[in-house]
Amino acid sequence: HVSLESPEIGPARCLSSGNAMERTRVELLLEGGFKIGKQARKSLLITECVPGGTTTAFAVLSGLGINVKGLISGSHRNPPSELKTKLVKQGLKAAKLKKNPSSIDLMAAVGDPFQPIALGLLMGARESGQDILLGGGCQMLAVLALTLNELVPESRAHFVEKTLIGTTS
């Protein structure tokens, strides 16, 4: 068990606010994840685990300019897609992000605390040469997209060479 912040900090605010987390919190969680990932000496499995994580995944993917409307699932048999769309639109509008926002700004605006930790783990483990398995669907695709957003385009193909995504159909 690893704790990267005090439990008193609590969960992120609703993404509809456009200010889900303070930027400093995102940076500290990213840095903590990176340090752990960089120390990895074996392949790493990172799995999705956040209640509401498919909605924050929808939000950050949309904020990156990726059209995922109608493609994001969830744990419900019939996920509340209209509600998710409304919350995401509201949050991105309230955030007033510049065009092509950084992953840090995007996570602070409409993300959740798991995303910067997972992004840091992924980047740190890849820097230490480890293979990565991202376990899950929407949430892990969002983490990978946020990671690739931070890399120069020329290094993206090399970065993903040893990164796999395992998901259900």
Side-chain angles (χ1 to χ4, degrees):
H1 175 83
V2 176
S3 180
L4 297 179
E5 63 183 7
S6 170
E8 285 87 39
I9 293 173
R13 294 179 286 275
C14 182
L15 65 91
S16 66
S17 69
N19 183 25
M21 296 177 284
E22 300 304 321
R23 183 182 168 89
T24 53
R25 181 181 188 187
V26 172
E27 291 169 340
L28 288 172
L29 292 172
L30 182 103
E31 183 180 317
F34 183 82
K35 286 179 182 176
I36 294 167
K38 187 137 169 85
Q39 294 171 3
R41 297 296 170 244
K42 295 182 180 180
S43 299
L44 187 63
L45 168 64
I46 305 172
T47 62
E48 55 189 40
C49 61
V50 179
T54 56
T55 306
T56 55
F58 181 3
V60 298
L61 288 166
S62 297
L64 291 170
I66 303 169
N67 181 4
V68 292
K69 187 174 181 200
L71 300 175
I72 301 296
S73 61
S75 60
H76 294 277
R77 182 177 203 107
N78 297 304
S81 300
E82 289 179 28
L83 177 59
K84 289 182 182 195
T85 300
K86 178 183 173 186
L87 292 172
V88 167
K89 283 182 180 178
Q90 187 177 339
L92 289 172
K93 183 178 179 182
K96 297 179 182 160
L97 295 165
K98 63 181 181 181
K99 189 176 182 181
N100 302 318
S102 74
S103 294
I104 291 173
D105 289 339
L106 197 49
M107 289 183 288
V110 295
D112 63 59
F114 172 71
Q115 291 168 340
I117 295 169
L119 189 151
L121 283 168
L122 177 56
M123 293 182 85
R126 284 297 296 122
E127 188 168 302
S128 72
Q130 302 308 313
D131 293 341
I132 308 294
L133 174 59
L134 299 173
C138 305
Q139 293 179 45
M140 294 296 91
L141 289 172
V143 167
L144 184 57
L146 287 163
T147 304
L148 295 175
N149 186 54
E150 291 302 299
L151 301 175
V152 294
E154 299 78 36
S155 66
R156 291 174 182 164
H158 175 70
F159 184 88
V160 298
E161 283 177 353
K162 293 188 174 193
T163 305
L164 300 172
I165 296 179
T167 188
T168 61
S169 58

